[in-house]
């Protein structure tokens, strides 16, 4: 298929890996920031192809995963109300709150709908004037323009039965939080391709300079990821630390100006809680005052909802790259995509879910968890 | 096949009911959620469906025939071996490119019979109709069932009709039950798979599921996608007629039509049933460009998408090429390919060599496939 197969060519992949092998003089730890990249890595078995000296740890860039428990609980409280149509991106439906998930609420009669585009909510709101239509506006800078557009259009059309429950987060403050964390192992980043398609990558320069860390903005196809990894390794091996753009077929340094303008018209930067990590200052967006009529947090009585997160779940450490899914005693046993305990198991983009989905719960402890060496004697739960 | 699109009404704002299972270590305020009510994922054909069968149905009905968990029961009556199966059909929209709920209801049951190597003979059909269903729609469905039954060479010999209040059904639900005869030298069952067997897939993956999905989402793709729904009994007859030196027809060990949950879930079921491993080569799996594109756009994996006119066959290695040749001469098998083989390592598990040369485990789907956010 055009524009896809070119980036999934096994021979080119082998050549890039070979170059990487010849470049390596010592081991390096890199982090892919995006959930979409994590997904691609495990789905395509890219980690299996990498030379032993290159370790990829999975970053915080799964939007569903980092949405804090209290926002999930607020969403559930609203979705349970009889007069509400609650709209959400698909993979949010499985995210557990303190009591069940949106699937459970749906099975009890709640009107929960999956939308592909936030703008679908406009149609739903127009068609259901007597209902309150609430959209769960989550995600990184990638979803911010479309989510902002929904709020903007709702205000333009005076659709007073349409509101957004906003839990919007930003990548750069999260990278700084990772680099500041005690015990940080990350030496280079595969930067977030889709996020930078919106925002450009200017704002990564100061991070790269301050922490002397290479950041290579990288795409999502297998060859993108391999090339981004090679570019990062080359910087590390030569002692350089700059921002480079592997994903140049999609984005440039400035990003999408129109989208940025829309975002700043609708949202303003605020402190945000991250599931498993805690509050990171100035790490998200909320709706500006002019849009308060469409702010679900102001329309519904949810301010008092402030649950505690499960203690056993180490998703915070996984999101910061300190631990791998295998390091969690609950991984694959107590915590599965069927019964997720925490952030990183809930979405297909979450590191734990990606590991689980592509069978890494079956690979033995002790071996390099990135390389699925499968020994018969160690397979306990094989697909049962 | 996909479950009915839900048109839920809000009966009130009851809170969810969740079982809090005590965590064996740590004090975990988040309960492990076991569904106390049916969720859509229970109908997905994935892990949740398997759980439902294992925890609710099997304990109640357990017997040696049922325990085989094939798509059909094989009953010995005197010298005769009968295949017996039943299937319910719920789909939104009821008419879609390439078929409709009526065709599906015939093909689905015929295929479940054919996967045991049986020659399908007779079917029953039970209709649950929703008050207000257009008579013309019902006629269209019935006419299409007649045509599908004629193509498959089966007769519909008994039936039932019920009507429910508007809002209590989704236009039309159909249940079909079928009986077929299995020749004595044919012995095809999920537990017959042996290491060395070649895994043959009869054609492209994901056509049916993506047709339904793009209809529901109102998406249009370059190069139309059509459901592959078809009766496979003739193709099976063709396969079984492959000439052998022994004149026996035991060279096909296992057959299954990969419907709900797709090829990945079906392969896992087979690997588990026969306690064998499987290795699949992603590059050899036939897929239409339009289906591949639709899956990319919607963030879905075609290996988990439903098919309604495809079969997977595990065939002894020395006969695989001959069977494949026969299949390719049949219109429903013209894209057939060997996609992998059965191995004696990693029993119960399916590995896949990816197109860029990596390896991953192909697991079963756990619930509904959900579109990813970005």
């Amino acid at each position: 298929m055009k524009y896809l197969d070119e980036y999934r060519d096994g021979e080119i992949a082998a050549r890039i890996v070979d170059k990487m092998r010849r470049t390596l003089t010592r081991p390096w730890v890199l982090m892919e920031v995006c959930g979409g990249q994590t997904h691609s890595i495990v789905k395509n078995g890219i980690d299996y192809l990498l030379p032993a000296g290159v370790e990829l740890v999975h970053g915080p860039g799964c939007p569903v995963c980092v949405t804090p428990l209290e926002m999930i609980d607020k969403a559930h409280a609203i979705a349970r109300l009889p007069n509400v149509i609650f709209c959400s991106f698909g993979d949010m439906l499985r995210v557990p709150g303190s009591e069940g998930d949106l699937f459970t609420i749906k099975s009890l009669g709640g009107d929960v709908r999956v939308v592909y585009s936030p703008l679908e909510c406009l149609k739903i709101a127009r068609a259901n004037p007597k209902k309150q239509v609430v959209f769960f506006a989550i995600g990184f800078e990638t979803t911010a323009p479309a989510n902002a557009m929904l709020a903007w259009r709702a205000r333009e059309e005076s659709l007073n039965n349409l509101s957004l429950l906003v839990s919007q987060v930003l990548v750069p403050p999260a990278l700084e939080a990772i680099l500041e964390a005690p015990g940080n192992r990350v030496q280079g980043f595969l930067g977030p391709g889709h996020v930078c398609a919106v925002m450009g990558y200017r704002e990564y320069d100061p991070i790269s300079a301050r922490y002397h860390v290479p950041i290579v903005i990288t795409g999502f196809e297998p060859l993108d990821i391999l090339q981004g990894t090679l570019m990062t390794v080359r910087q590390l091996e030569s002692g350089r630390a700059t921002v480079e753009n592997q994903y140049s077929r999609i984005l440039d340094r400035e990003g999408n100006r129109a989208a940025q303008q829309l975002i700043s018209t609708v949202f303003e930067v605020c402190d945000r809680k991250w599931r498993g990590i805690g509050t990171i200052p100035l790490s998200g967006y909320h709706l500006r005052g002019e849009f308060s009529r469409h702010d679900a947090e102001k329309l519904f009585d949810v301010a008092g909802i402030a649950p505690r997160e499960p203690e056993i779940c180490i998703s915070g450490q996984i999101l910061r790259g300190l631990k791998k899914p295998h390091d969690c005693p609950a991984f694959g046993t107590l915590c599965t995509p069927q019964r997720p305990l925490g952030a990183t198991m809930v979405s297909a983009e979450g590191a734990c879910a990606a590991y689980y989905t592509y069978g890494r719960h079956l690979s033995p402890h002790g071996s390099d968890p990135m390389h699925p060496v499968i020994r018969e004697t160690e397979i306990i739960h094989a697909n049962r | 096949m996909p479950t009915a699109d839900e048109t839920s009404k809000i009966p009130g704002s009851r809170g969810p009911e969740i079982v809090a299972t005590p965590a064996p270590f740590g004090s975990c305020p988040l309960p492990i959620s076991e569904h106390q009510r049916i969720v859509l994922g229970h109908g997905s054909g994935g892990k949740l469906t398997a759980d439902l069968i294992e925890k609710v149905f099997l304990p109640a009905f357990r017997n040696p025939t049922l325990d085989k968990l094939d798509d059909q029961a094989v009953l010995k009556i005197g010298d005769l071996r009968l295949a017996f199966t039943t299937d319910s059909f719920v789909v939104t929209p009821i008419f879609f490119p390439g078929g409709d709920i009526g065709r599906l209801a015939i093909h689905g049951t015929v295929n479940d019979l054919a996967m045991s190597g049986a020659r399908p003979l007779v079917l029953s059909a039970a209709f649950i109709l929703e008050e207000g269903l257009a008579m013309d729609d019902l006629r269209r469905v019935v006419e299409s069932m007649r045509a599908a039954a004629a193509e498959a060479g089966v007769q519909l010999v008994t039936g039932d009709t019920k009507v429910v209040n508007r809002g209590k059904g989704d236009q039309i639900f159909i249940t079909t039950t079928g009986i077929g005869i299995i020749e004595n030298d044919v012995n095809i069952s999920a537990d017959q798979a042996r290491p060395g067997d070649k895994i043959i897939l009869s054609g492209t993956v994901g056509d049916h599921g993506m047709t339904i999905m793009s209809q529901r989402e109102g998406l249009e793709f370059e190069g139309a996608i059509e459901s592959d729904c078809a009766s496979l009994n003739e193709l099976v007859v063709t396969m079984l007629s492959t000439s052998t030196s022994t004149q026996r027809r035991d060279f096909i060990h296992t057959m299954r039509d990969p419907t709900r949950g797709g090829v990945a879930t079906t392969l896992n079921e087979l690997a588990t049933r026969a306690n064998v491993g499987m290795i699949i080569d992603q590059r050899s799996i036939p897929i239409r460009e339009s289906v591949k594109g639709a899956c990319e756009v919607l963030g879905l994996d075609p290996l988990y998408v439903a098919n309604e006119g495809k079969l997977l066959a595990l065939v002894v290695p020395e006969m695989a090429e001959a069977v494949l040749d026969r299949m390719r001469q049949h219109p429903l098998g013209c894209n057939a390919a060997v996609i992998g083989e059965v191995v004696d390592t990693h029993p119960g598990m399916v590995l896949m060599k990816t197109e860029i040369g990596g390896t991953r485990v192909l697991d079963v789907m756990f619930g509904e496939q959900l579109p990813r956010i970005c």
Side-chain angles (χ1 to χ4, degrees):
Chain A
M1 167 161 292
K2 214 173 163 194
Y3 307 124
L4 283 179
D5 291 342
E6 300 92 310
Y7 303 100
R8 297 176 184 179
D9 185 312
E11 282 176 29
I12 301 176
R15 283 210 292 278
I16 297 175
V17 170
D18 189 49
K19 278 183 194 162
M20 211 180 301
R21 196 170 282 120
R22 280 186 278 124
T23 310
L24 279 175
T25 61
R26 47 159 292 189
W28 298 105
V29 178
L30 316 186
M31 172 182 276
E32 86 277 0
V33 172
C34 274
Q37 292 164 339
T38 305
H39 189 81
S40 181
I41 288 165
V42 273
K43 181 177 177 184
N44 293 293
I46 295 170
D47 45 355
Y48 178 85
L49 293 173
L50 290 175
V54 180
E55 183 186 351
L56 284 179
V57 296
H58 313 307
C62 164
V64 165
C65 302
V66 298
T67 302
L69 188 57
E70 65 178 59
M71 289 306 289
I72 310 277
D73 281 2
K74 286 177 183 181
H76 291 183
I78 295 170
R80 266 185 226 121
L81 297 174
N83 202 36
V84 164
I85 300 173
F86 194 85
C87 304
S88 168
F89 293 124
D91 47 4
M92 201 68 203
L93 265 65
R94 197 162 26 225
V95 182
S98 299
E99 290 178 276
D101 54 22
L102 287 169
F103 275 124
T104 316
I105 291 169
K106 195 162 179 273
S107 74
L108 288 163
D111 194 345
V112 178
R113 302 187 189 181
V114 170
V115 292
Y116 273 96
S117 159
L119 298 183
E120 288 173 42
C121 300
L122 293 169
K123 242 191 270 173
I124 298 172
R126 286 184 212 122
N128 297 278
K130 288 187 180 152
K131 297 250 182 176
Q132 284 295 323
V133 177
V134 183
F135 176 65
F136 201 1
I138 65 150
F140 285 89
E141 292 92 327
T142 324
T143 58
N147 293 352
M149 181 61 96
L150 177 65
W152 191 77
R153 292 276 297 271
R155 196 183 62 160
E156 287 294 292
E157 294 185 32
S158 302
L159 279 172
N160 290 334
N161 65 329
L162 176 57
S163 59
L164 288 80
L165 181 63
V166 177
S167 189
Q168 205 81 50
V169 282
L170 301 170
V171 169
L175 296 194
E176 289 187 272
I178 287 160
L179 291 164
E180 293 282 352
N184 167 51
R185 300 168 60 228
V186 179
Q187 295 162 297
F189 289 101
L190 305 188
H194 290 147
V195 165
C196 293
V198 174
M199 303 303 285
Y201 51 89
R202 272 176 186 280
E203 55 189 335
Y204 295 85
D205 288 337
I207 300 174
S208 173
R210 188 175 328 133
Y211 297 95
H212 195 75
V213 59
I215 302 176
V216 177
I217 312 304
T218 301
F220 300 83
E221 290 301 321
L223 292 189
D224 288 326
I225 289 167
L226 285 172
Q227 193 187 16
T229 307
L230 175 63
M231 288 165 75
T232 314
V233 166
R234 279 182 172 158
Q235 282 203 43
L236 287 165
E237 286 287 346
S238 62
R240 285 183 300 133
T242 62
V243 179
E244 287 181 303
N245 181 14
Q246 181 277 329
Y247 209 23
S248 56
R249 70 178 184 283
I250 297 291
L251 61 98
D252 63 18
R253 189 175 161 76
E254 304 305 325
N256 181 337
R257 289 260 173 89
Q260 291 163 19
Q261 201 171 1
L262 178 66
I263 292 172
S264 58
T265 306
V266 174
F267 292 129
E268 62 188 346
V269 173
C270 65
D271 296 351
R272 275 281 173 210
K273 245 190 201 166
W274 294 55
R275 193 168 191 171
I277 292 180
T279 301
I280 303 178
L282 304 179
S283 67
Y285 291 132
H286 61 204
L287 287 168
R288 288 186 181 275
E290 303 94 283
F291 292 86
S292 59
R293 183 176 277 201
H294 303 286
D295 189 340
E297 279 192 275
K298 299 208 164 83
L299 297 176
F300 296 90
D301 182 22
V302 289
I305 295 174
R308 236 166 25 101
E309 296 206 23
E311 284 161 20
I312 185 175
C313 179
I314 61 165
S315 62
Q317 294 171 69
I318 290 170
L319 290 169
R320 281 176 299 199
L322 300 177
K323 295 215 164 152
K324 288 260 173 79
H326 287 108
D327 299 329
C328 177
F331 175 73
T333 54
L334 273 180
C335 182
T336 64
Q338 247 174 312
R339 309 156 163 191
L341 277 184
T344 41
M345 187 60 97
V346 296
S347 160
E349 290 183 20
C352 293
Y355 262 54
Y356 190 93
T357 305
Y358 299 114
R360 302 304 157 85
H361 58 304
L362 305 169
S363 77
H365 292 254
S367 70
D368 183 345
M370 298 303 282
H371 291 242
V373 183
I374 293 144
R375 286 183 219 124
E376 205 177 317
T377 49
E378 287 170 283
I379 297 161
I380 303 157
H381 307 290
N383 294 325
R384 302 264 148 66
Chain B
M1 60 178 290
T3 48
D5 200 11
E6 56 307 316
T7 47
S8 23
K9 311 284 181 289
I10 300 188
S13 56
R14 288 166 293 168
E17 295 163 28
I18 301 295
V19 181
T21 313
F25 47 82
S27 61
C28 176
L30 192 76
I32 294 171
S33 55
E34 289 241 304
H35 293 285
Q36 273 225 316
R37 285 173 189 271
I38 292 294
V39 295
L40 274 178
H42 284 119
S44 67
K47 256 183 201 152
L48 282 178
T49 309
D51 275 3
L52 198 64
I53 292 171
E54 198 172 308
K55 289 179 185 155
V56 179
F57 296 120
L58 271 186
F61 303 120
R62 194 170 281 288
N63 62 61
T65 311
L66 183 65
D67 288 352
K68 290 188 80 139
L69 292 178
D70 275 326
D71 282 351
Q72 68 297 115
V74 175
L75 309 169
K76 268 197 117 165
I77 298 171
D79 283 344
L80 213 56
R81 281 196 308 150
L82 292 182
F84 179 50
T85 192
T86 189
D87 209 338
S88 292
F89 298 84
V90 294
V91 63
T92 304
I94 59 173
F95 301 103
F96 47 82
D100 56 68
I101 190 169
R103 289 197 82 83
L104 278 183
I106 300 292
H107 296 320
T109 293
V110 164
N111 291 346
D112 281 348
L113 294 173
M115 291 307 107
S116 65
R119 178 162 52 86
L121 287 181
V122 291
L123 299 184
S124 76
F127 297 84
I128 295 174
L129 308 175
E130 187 188 10
E131 181 185 25
L133 172 71
M135 196 60 85
D136 277 352
D137 284 348
L138 178 61
R139 285 208 184 92
R140 244 177 102 186
V141 168
V142 168
E143 165 53 25
S144 136
M145 288 177 79
R146 186 204 59 75
E151 282 165 32
V154 291
Q155 275 191 313
L156 207 150
V157 293
T158 181
D160 182 50
T161 308
K162 296 284 186 298
V163 178
V164 294
N165 286 316
R166 185 184 270 273
K168 302 278 170 157
D170 189 4
Q171 300 183 76
I172 177 167
F173 299 152
I174 305 175
T175 298
T176 50
T177 300
I179 295 176
I181 291 184
I182 306 173
E183 306 283 341
N184 271 334
D185 58 344
V186 174
N187 185 15
I188 297 171
S189 171
D191 53 16
Q192 297 293 311
R194 297 286 176 269
D197 285 355
K198 297 289 180 194
I199 303 168
I200 298 177
L201 175 61
S202 67
T204 52
V205 292
D207 298 12
H208 176 74
M210 290 321 293
T211 304
I212 299 296
M213 209 94 67
S214 44
Q215 288 286 306
R216 277 193 203 156
E217 300 300 332
L219 300 173
E220 285 177 23
F221 296 97
E222 208 177 305
I225 308 175
E226 273 199 358
S227 169
D228 56 352
C229 77
S231 286
L232 294 164
N233 51 327
E234 228 190 68
L235 177 63
V236 172
V237 170
T238 307
M239 291 165 71
L240 284 170
S241 68
T242 312
S243 55
T244 67
S245 49
T246 60
Q247 302 300 315
R248 286 183 54 81
R249 292 187 293 171
D250 51 4
F251 49 86
I252 299 177
H253 285 155
T254 304
M255 275 194 289
R256 199 51 90 80
D257 53 338
T259 53
R260 288 179 311 183
V263 166
T265 304
T266 302
L267 288 175
N268 271 283
E269 278 170 21
L270 296 178
T272 303
R273 293 293 305 151
N275 200 31
V276 292
M278 292 182 183
I279 295 179
I280 303 298
D281 183 352
Q282 187 174 18
R283 279 166 297 200
S284 65
I285 298 171
I287 178 166
R288 283 181 210 286
E289 289 286 286
S290 51
V291 169
K292 193 172 173 185
C295 283
E296 290 288 339
V297 169
L298 297 177
L300 304 172
D301 188 335
L303 292 176
Y304 293 89
V305 175
N307 311 280
E308 289 293 343
K310 297 290 154 40
L311 64 82
L312 282 161
L314 310 188
V315 177
V316 294
E318 55 276 18
M319 286 295 292
E321 276 307 314
V323 172
L324 196 62
D325 282 347
R326 294 286 298 166
M327 291 176 79
R328 284 180 174 157
Q329 286 160 29
H330 192 280
L332 292 177
C334 57
N335 293 315
V338 172
I339 61 163
E341 66 176 350
V342 178
V343 293
D344 58 1
T345 50
H346 55 80
M349 218 161 108
V350 182
L351 293 190
M352 182 167 81
K353 285 183 193 152
T354 66
E355 48 187 326
I356 64 152
T359 303
R360 80 184 222 214
V361 177
L362 206 57
D363 204 358
V364 297
M365 188 167 77
F366 27 89
E368 291 271 282
Q369 240 200 131
L370 294 173
R372 294 187 300 121
I373 173 170
C374 57

